[in-house]
Amino acid sequence: FGGVRTWYVGGTDAGFGYVDTPIRYMDFKLTRTLSYLYQHAYYAKLLVLPWNQSWDYSYDALPMLHTFDDVRMLAIVASYVAVAALAAHGLRVCMRQPIVILGLGLTVIP
């Protein structure tokens, strides 16, 4: 189904410019990877603390991460550890409370 949809809409390139998605145009793969991981951590924070949401995050609203020594790496590690802990908890209690693993699945895979 995904292949047919990709063929029908003409590929997966959305054609956004540098101002819309600057991460895509970064030269270094490490910068792109860390910045995308930080987006996951930022949106995980918004799931828990839904203040200061915006419908349009403009250029440099979420600054790029360039190195591993940036303090925002702690947010990335914390968010992925939290997802792993919730998954472990959900798998442990899935026979008694299957709603836990369903909720996690719907959060991770919308």
Side-chain angles (χ1 to χ4, degrees):
F1 180 72
V4 172
R5 182 185 183 280
T6 302
W7 167 77
Y8 182 72
V9 298
T12 59
D13 188 23
F16 292 114
Y18 179 80
V19 176
D20 297 323
T21 56
I23 295 174
R24 180 179 175 198
Y25 297 98
M26 291 291 116
D27 292 333
F28 299 108
K29 189 172 185 171
L30 178 66
T31 301
R32 287 193 310 267
T33 302
L34 293 178
S35 298
Y36 279 131
L37 290 174
Y38 180 65
Q39 283 184 350
H40 296 162
Y42 186 80
Y43 290 131
K45 181 198 82 156
L46 286 178
L47 282 172
V48 177
L49 303 169
W51 294 282
N52 298 327
Q53 292 188 8
S54 175
W55 62 275
D56 182 28
Y57 291 103
S58 63
Y59 173 74
D60 209 26
L62 298 176
M64 305 288 170
L65 271 81
H66 299 284
T67 61
F68 286 109
D69 61 355
D70 194 326
V71 73
R72 292 174 292 171
M73 285 294 297
L74 295 174
I76 295 170
V77 171
S79 64
Y80 280 101
V81 166
V83 169
L86 284 172
H89 174 69
L91 291 173
R92 190 173 64 239
V93 299
C94 70
M95 294 302 171
R96 295 187 317 256
Q97 297 173 335
I99 197 73
V100 173
I101 199 72
L102 176 67
L104 180 67
L106 291 175
T107 301
V108 174
I109 307 168

